[in-house]
Amino acid sequence: MTQRVELATLRDRLAVDELISEYAVAVDDGDWEAYRGLFAPGGRADYRSAGGTEGDAGTVAVWLAESMRAFSVRQHLIVNRRVRFGVLEQDVGDTADVRADYVNPMRLAAGEGAGAPDFVSGGRYAFGLVRTDDGWRLRQVVIEEKWRRTPERTAPAGVG
């Protein structure tokens, strides 16, 4: 591998990592316009394993906005990111698959119970990315919830 290829790959890895971080921040901050902007045209998300929905980025953003109202504090910690670059139309490096684990602590909104107990879940994300004229964008997000800890009362279904 030449130095030029190594530098381009490093630059792509940093851009992919930034996109995943932007995803977490958009969800945590409830910035649904930014969330939609992270997706390539036709991009989709699947939150069904966490009790949620599946669909295009706009549809899922509407669902997330409604579901996340139950929580005053959200913090997606996305770690152990494994990036693999793929081939699109014969060009190496124009797609990427990222597998990353997550822990997602959230605090129920005020008035939702004594002491606003925590809701915490964990699992794995599968992100499919594509290089576009606007940089790296999500073509697919699939969440695989593996566990959840809820307060004594039942937390709202479909959060993740």
Side-chain angles (χ1 to χ4, degrees):
M1 195 180 289
T2 68
Q3 186 176 21
R4 180 176 292 163
V5 171
E6 288 173 352
L7 289 174
T9 300
L10 179 59
R11 189 178 64 209
D12 283 336
R13 287 184 72 86
L14 290 170
V16 165
D17 188 67
E18 179 68 17
L19 181 66
I20 302 305
S21 294
E22 288 177 13
Y23 167 87
V25 170
V27 172
D28 290 343
D29 290 352
D31 187 343
W32 308 119
E33 183 177 335
Y35 176 89
R36 285 190 281 285
L38 299 173
F39 285 82
R44 300 183 70 78
D46 183 347
Y47 292 84
R48 290 177 293 183
S49 83
T53 193
E54 185 276 336
D56 63 73
T59 300
V60 172
V62 169
W63 172 79
L64 281 168
E66 181 64 30
S67 297
M68 292 297 153
R69 282 190 198 148
F71 301 98
S72 60
V73 176
R74 303 180 290 268
Q75 187 175 30
H76 285 74
L77 306 171
I78 302 177
V79 299
N80 301 333
R81 300 172 191 196
R82 294 167 312 280
V83 178
R84 302 290 180 263
F85 290 103
V87 176
L88 178 66
E89 297 177 9
Q90 312 274 329
D91 292 328
V92 174
D94 283 339
T95 66
D97 289 314
V98 178
R99 299 294 181 267
D101 298 324
Y102 73 88
V103 175
N104 178 209
M106 298 187 287
R107 182 161 299 281
L108 289 167
E112 291 289 320
D118 289 330
F119 169 97
V120 184
S121 67
R124 181 161 294 152
Y125 276 108
F127 295 99
L129 290 78
V130 63
R131 186 193 313 270
T132 71
D133 290 340
D134 296 321
W136 287 96
R137 294 293 181 265
L138 298 166
R139 60 182 162 82
Q140 156 181 305
V141 175
V142 178
I143 188 172
E144 178 190 351
E145 184 178 85
K146 295 184 176 188
W147 61 270
R148 113 178 8 189
R149 186 189 80 211
T150 60
E152 290 183 27
R153 65 181 200 80
T154 305
V159 292

